[in-house]
Amino acid sequence: MDLIQAAILGIVEGLTEFLPVSSTGHLILTAHILNIPHTNFTKTFEISIQLGSILAVFFLYYEKLLKDWETWKRIILAFIPTGILGFLLYKIIKRFFIGNDLLVVINLIFGGVVLLFIDRFLQKDNGLSDVKELSLKKIPLIGVFQSLAMMPGVSRSAATIIGGMVVGLNRRAAAEFSFLLALPTMLMATSYDLIKSHSEMSFQDWQVLLVGFVFAFFTAFLAIKTFISFISKHSFFIFGIYRIFIGILYFLIFLF
């Protein structure tokens, strides 16, 4: 992977990480288009550039993160199921899930179908507007939903937002909590993978990773602000259509 390819993947990561469209699926598809071999380093790269997206969340929500202990309690409670399952299933996820083209196609299309109807079955704008209004016993369920995103193509953002809406949050509150929950989730996932993989990485690999990190940060910063504004006024329908389209495109590329 060269620096230009790393920059492109960083942009794709930043644009898609916090949208309900599956950043992992988009990264794998983009790597296919760019003819980037799916090596162990590529897998590490796809996981680790999420640190750039995490930093964007911190910059946008640093006041809440520094002052609001009630929100942090809910972030920690929601993270626990994901943290436990991620630790136990790490080897399986990296060996069998990441880079599994057929699994990505299935999850992209199925997730798109779910998003087409999600606003019909769940409340739209009459849910709770702040995660602090939720009782603590409901919070771990959001983490269980987030754990589904360990399968590539599911979308961590989509799973967490749907989980938030299931327990009573409105779209905007569920989306914002999804961003905040990304902090411990993605930080642990990327740190754990780097600890496991750093001995195999060359100086050039670290340069490539840094470029991807920087581009992911700036694009995620813009994507988060745009998405919050959009989702406050519109449903998930357009994201469902988009996921199905990308899933079919991915299938055609995978097939031929």
Side-chain angles (χ1 to χ4, degrees):
M1 185 188 309
D2 59 35
L3 296 182
I4 294 176
Q5 291 172 329
I8 294 172
L9 290 176
I11 292 170
V12 170
E13 157 64 23
L15 288 175
T16 59
E17 179 60 52
F18 298 107
L19 303 183
V21 297
S22 175
S23 62
T24 304
H26 280 72
L27 286 171
I28 295 172
L29 177 58
T30 304
H32 270 299
I33 294 171
L34 297 176
N35 292 317
I36 300 172
H38 217 74
T39 63
N40 284 334
F41 170 70
T42 306
K43 294 180 181 181
T44 295
F45 178 90
E46 291 170 356
I47 295 172
S48 300
I49 59 170
Q50 294 177 105
L51 284 170
S53 301
I54 296 172
L55 189 59
V57 173
F58 182 79
F59 267 76
L60 285 168
Y61 291 95
Y62 71 92
E63 290 188 5
K64 178 186 286 288
L65 291 168
L66 292 177
K67 300 177 182 179
D68 195 340
W69 170 239
E70 286 300 315
T71 296
W72 265 113
K73 282 198 294 188
R74 286 157 174 79
I75 292 173
I76 294 169
L77 280 174
F79 168 72
I80 290 173
T82 309
I84 293 173
L85 290 172
F87 177 77
L88 294 176
L89 301 176
Y90 169 77
K91 291 183 178 179
I92 296 175
I93 293 166
K94 191 162 184 180
R95 184 174 180 181
F96 297 107
F97 287 1
I98 297 178
N100 187 323
D101 297 290
L102 183 59
L103 186 62
V104 172
V105 169
I106 293 171
N107 287 332
L108 279 172
I109 295 176
F110 178 74
V113 173
V114 171
L115 288 179
L116 290 181
F117 298 100
I118 198 67
D119 286 287
R120 180 174 298 181
F121 295 112
L122 297 177
Q123 44 71 30
K124 297 180 181 179
D125 300 311
N126 58 341
L128 300 175
S129 60
D130 194 321
V131 71
K132 289 184 291 186
E133 298 176 52
L134 277 177
S135 64
L136 294 178
K137 65 182 181 181
K138 291 183 177 181
I139 297 298
L141 183 59
I142 301 177
V144 173
F145 270 84
Q146 179 178 240
S147 300
L148 297 174
M150 288 187 287
M151 292 187 293
V154 169
S155 171
R156 190 204 62 82
S157 177
T160 311
I161 291 171
I162 291 171
M165 293 175 69
V166 166
V167 297
L169 297 175
N170 64 24
R171 283 194 302 262
R172 182 187 180 102
E176 289 191 327
F177 187 66
S178 171
F179 303 155
L180 297 175
L181 183 54
L183 286 168
T185 304
M186 293 160 62
L187 183 61
M188 290 296 292
T190 54
S191 299
Y192 188 69
D193 191 73
L194 282 174
I195 291 171
K196 288 284 188 177
S197 308
H198 77 279
S199 61
E200 302 173 6
M201 293 171 60
S202 66
F203 178 73
Q204 183 180 0
D205 289 338
W206 285 105
Q207 287 181 308
V208 168
L209 186 58
L210 178 61
V211 169
F213 174 92
V214 171
F215 277 88
F217 167 76
F218 285 108
T219 50
F221 190 90
L222 296 174
I224 291 170
K225 298 186 72 172
T226 303
F227 179 58
I228 281 294
S229 176
F230 179 88
I231 208 62
S232 298
K233 303 173 184 176
H234 302 88
S235 73
F236 292 110
F237 187 85
I238 187 64
F239 295 107
I241 294 293
Y242 175 77
R243 284 182 64 116
I244 293 171
F245 170 76
I246 289 295
I248 293 172
L249 176 63
Y250 198 148
F251 176 73
L252 293 175
I253 292 174
F254 170 67
L255 183 65
F256 297 108

